[in-house]
Amino acid sequence: MSTIPLLVCDDSNMARKQLIRALPSNWPFRISQATNGREGLEAIREGLGQVVLLDLTMPEMDGFGVLAKLREEGLQVDVIVVSGDVQEEAVRRAKALGAKAFIKKPADPLQLAEALNALGVDIPLTRAPSAPVEAFSDLPNVSFRDAFREVTNIAMGRAAELLGRVLGVFIQLPIPNVNILEVGELHMTLADAQRGERLSAICQGYIGGGIAGEALLVFHDAEINDVAKLLNTQEDESAKLEMLLDLASIIIGACLNGLSEQLNINLSQGHPLVLGQHCPIEDLIRINQRRWKRTLAVEISYSLEGMDIHFDLLLLFTEDSLPRLREKLDFMID
């Protein structure tokens, strides 16, 4: 059987490793890897990607940009999108740009085999045993930060899909930042990001399986009225506050559920609480500084396409949660 050049294009070492392992053991592929859209496009031009497994959310050039360039340059490539952005509009756009299939992360081996079969790659639709160890000799090493960023990326995609349906808009997803910060560094991060703006903030605690923390969702006061119009919310303050609490419950709940599913834990979630309303970030930090000690901080910003509206979400894990998170992620990696 002749080999087919297959390119795995994803900025996450974790995602590339999971995808390569998901390929059937009787694969007829010669595998290359790319860590962003520009690298991937160059690899395709060099003939390294007759079949491409393509992420959407990447630095340098995202997956939509890659698909658009492939069409513009007339490059004949079979693309299967494998993404954490599972919004219906993301699927529609990817297929409109030429993607042959769309698989949500983490990729199910049977779905991947089905998508490859649809391209004419004859692979039995059974859960074949893993490929021999030597087949994985070029798998990337995965750090804790990379692995946690990838599971967060998938979780925030689930939240975006639900938020997009509620608001009736397309949600633009960033690459999440994962940092272990001292409390002073967290304060500076928050202050630098929001300096000079008046904010309203909602928090929601979570605990389970040896992991605990709280999610902090920050709304920019200048944008709240625009969100209220999207949802046909009344103009009075109590109605808008209820709207913010409902949105926080949707966004935080979906994101935490996505993490729970991947890490195989049950995170119990508290009720969303108002941390501050119509106040500068400095006041928010001063009031809550005792809550936030050394922590694993994940920063996510959701933007609404075509509108000057965005929500900033921080997932703050306690220091005591780190060993359990490492254990869970090590299991996923290995």
Side-chain angles (χ1 to χ4, degrees):
M1 180 185 297
S2 61
T3 59
I4 299 170
L6 180 143
L7 176 68
V8 180
C9 184
D10 196 301
D11 61 305
S12 166
N13 288 341
M14 171 85 157
R16 298 198 307 277
K17 187 172 187 176
Q18 287 179 321
L19 263 179
I20 293 170
R21 281 184 160 173
L23 289 165
S25 62
N26 49 342
W27 55 10
F29 302 120
R30 184 174 69 257
I31 295 176
S32 300
Q33 301 179 45
T35 62
N36 61 59
R38 293 195 187 282
E39 280 187 17
L41 193 59
E42 187 58 36
I44 293 168
R45 290 171 180 148
E46 294 174 0
L48 299 178
Q50 180 179 331
V51 175
V52 179
L53 306 182
L54 180 68
D55 186 25
L56 290 181
T57 307
M58 294 183 291
E60 300 292 331
M61 178 185 290
D62 65 16
F64 295 117
V66 172
L67 287 166
K69 290 294 289 184
L70 292 176
R71 170 170 290 185
E72 177 186 321
E73 297 181 20
L75 295 170
Q76 299 302 309
V77 178
D78 289 325
V79 177
I80 298 171
V81 168
V82 185
S83 176
D85 185 352
V86 292
Q87 297 176 82
E88 286 186 9
E89 180 62 12
V91 178
R92 187 198 67 77
R93 292 184 185 187
K95 290 187 175 179
L97 286 168
K100 298 297 178 64
F102 190 108
I103 299 173
K104 72 176 184 179
K105 287 183 173 182
D108 177 84
L110 278 179
Q111 290 183 348
L112 184 55
E114 287 175 351
L116 291 168
N117 275 337
L119 301 180
V121 182
D122 188 16
I123 296 171
L125 296 181
T126 58
R127 289 193 179 275
S130 300
V133 173
E134 59 268 21
F136 296 126
S137 59
D138 292 330
L139 284 179
N141 293 322
V142 181
S143 67
F144 169 79
R145 180 168 297 178
D146 181 271
F148 196 70
R149 184 168 65 88
E150 177 61 13
V151 298
T152 303
N153 175 55
I154 294 171
M156 78 179 191
R158 309 278 175 86
E161 191 276 332
L162 182 54
L163 179 62
R165 281 195 281 120
V166 169
L167 296 178
V169 297
F170 183 64
I171 309 297
Q172 296 175 313
L173 296 179
I175 298 168
N177 292 320
V178 177
N179 295 294
I180 299 176
L181 302 174
E182 297 286 353
V183 63
E185 294 173 310
L186 175 59
H187 293 172
M188 287 187 289
T189 298
L190 289 170
D192 287 345
Q194 317 293 348
R195 191 174 304 281
E197 300 188 51
R198 300 191 75 79
L199 310 165
S200 296
I202 311 293
C203 81
Q204 188 168 355
Y206 50 87
I207 188 169
I211 294 170
E214 62 183 6
L216 176 64
L217 189 61
V218 178
F219 297 91
H220 299 251
D221 282 4
E223 303 167 6
I224 289 176
N225 286 336
D226 293 331
V227 178
K229 289 177 183 176
L230 277 177
L231 293 172
N232 296 316
T233 300
Q234 296 178 7
E235 291 293 326
D236 63 274
E237 283 296 307
S238 62
K240 286 192 284 190
L241 178 57
E242 185 177 349
M243 174 194 73
L244 297 184
L245 289 167
D246 287 343
L247 284 174
S249 182
I250 290 169
I251 297 170
I252 294 170
C255 199
L256 291 177
N257 286 338
L259 287 175
S260 297
E261 180 182 325
Q262 294 176 82
L263 297 174
N264 194 27
I265 56 174
N266 183 24
L267 287 175
S268 298
Q269 301 170 29
H271 294 291
L273 303 171
V274 178
L275 280 188
Q277 198 171 10
H278 312 312
C279 63
I281 191 67
E282 292 80 9
D283 288 352
L284 187 65
I285 291 171
R286 177 178 52 79
I287 294 168
N288 297 285
Q289 60 183 341
R290 292 185 179 180
R291 304 166 67 97
W292 303 323
K293 298 181 180 179
R294 180 175 171 84
T295 185
L296 172 65
V298 182
E299 307 163 54
I300 304 169
S301 181
Y302 294 97
S303 298
L304 277 58
E305 185 178 61
M307 305 177 187
D308 189 18
I309 299 174
H310 65 282
F311 312 126
D312 297 309
L313 174 64
L314 284 90
L315 299 178
L316 308 174
F317 294 83
T318 63
E319 184 175 17
D320 292 342
S321 301
L322 293 181
R324 183 60 170 161
L325 282 170
R326 290 183 187 278
E327 177 186 326
K328 285 289 186 179
L329 290 172
D330 285 345
F331 179 80
M332 292 177 67
I333 293 167
D334 295 335

